[in-house]
Amino acid sequence: MADEETSAITPPSSNTVSDQDSTMEAPANESLESTTTTKPSSQATFSIWPPSQRTRDAVVNRLIETLSTPSVLSNRYGTTPPEESSYTARIIEEEAFSSAASSASASEDDGIQILQVYSKEVSKRMLDVVKARAASSSSSADGASQPETGGFADSNVENNEASS
C-alpha cells in the first residue's frame, strides 16, 4: 500500500512538465547564444553628434516658444512676436550648429563635449538676441544710440539700420 501511495504522490505527468521546461529552455539558450554571437559582429555605434534634423527642429521649436511666450526670460527682456521668434530661432540654431561643428573638426572630442558646445552656443546667442532686442527697444524709446553687444543681434541691427 505504501508503494501505491508513493506512485500516487508522484504522478507520471510531473516528468512531462520537466520535459516541457527543458524544451522551453533550449530556445531561450539558443537565442541568448545567437545574441551573444551577433553582438560583437554588429557593433552598433551610437553617435550623439551631429544631432538629427528632428532634434535640431525640436531645438528651434523650443527657442520659438522661449522667445515668444511669457517666461522668466520674457519678464526681464520682453517677448518677441511669433514671426520674429521663428526667424530668430532658426538663425540662432544654425549659427550654434555651425560653431559647434567647426569646434568638432578642430579637435577629436567625443560627441558629448561637442553637444555641450552646441547647447552653450544656443543659450548664449539667445541671450544676446533678447538683450539686444531689449536694448534696441529701450534706446529707440529714449532716442539714444544702440549699445555694442557683439554677435548675431548686432549684425541684424546694423543691417536694419543700413537699409533704413
Side-chain angles (χ1 to χ4, degrees):
M1 176 111 182
D3 291 334
E4 290 176 23
E5 288 178 7
T6 308
S7 64
I9 294 173
T10 57
S13 63
S14 66
N15 290 341
T16 346
V17 171
S18 65
D19 289 342
Q20 289 173 352
D21 289 343
S22 65
T23 58
M24 292 172 78
E25 290 175 10
N29 288 341
E30 288 174 12
S31 66
L32 181 61
E33 289 173 11
S34 66
T35 304
T36 307
T37 56
T38 58
K39 192 174 185 178
S41 63
S42 64
Q43 290 283 329
T45 57
F46 177 74
S47 176
I48 198 162
W49 185 262
S52 67
Q53 187 60 46
R54 181 177 168 201
T55 301
R56 293 181 67 189
D57 291 342
V59 169
V60 169
N61 289 335
R62 183 66 178 146
L63 279 168
I64 293 168
E65 182 182 333
T66 302
L67 294 170
S68 63
T69 60
S71 66
V72 174
L73 188 68
S74 68
N75 289 342
R76 182 166 184 163
Y77 298 108
T79 57
T80 308
E83 304 81 30
E84 185 180 338
S85 296
S86 178
Y87 173 77
T88 303
R90 292 184 196 296
I91 298 296
I92 290 170
E93 193 282 330
E94 287 172 7
E95 288 184 353
F97 182 82
S98 295
S99 177
S102 66
S103 76
S105 63
S107 65
E108 292 297 322
D109 293 338
D110 66 349
I112 294 173
Q113 291 173 337
I114 300 164
L115 193 62
Q116 287 174 338
V117 169
Y118 172 68
S119 178
K120 287 177 184 177
E121 285 292 323
V122 167
S123 297
K124 180 180 137 263
R125 291 167 192 275
M126 179 185 63
L127 282 172
D128 288 346
V129 166
V130 295
K131 286 178 180 178
R133 186 174 189 284
S136 80
S137 65
S138 68
S139 66
S140 297
D142 294 341
S145 64
Q146 296 179 357
E148 298 254 347
T149 58
F152 163 79
D154 284 345
S155 64
N156 278 347
V157 169
E158 290 169 7
N159 290 339
N160 289 339
E161 288 176 351
S163 64
S164 304

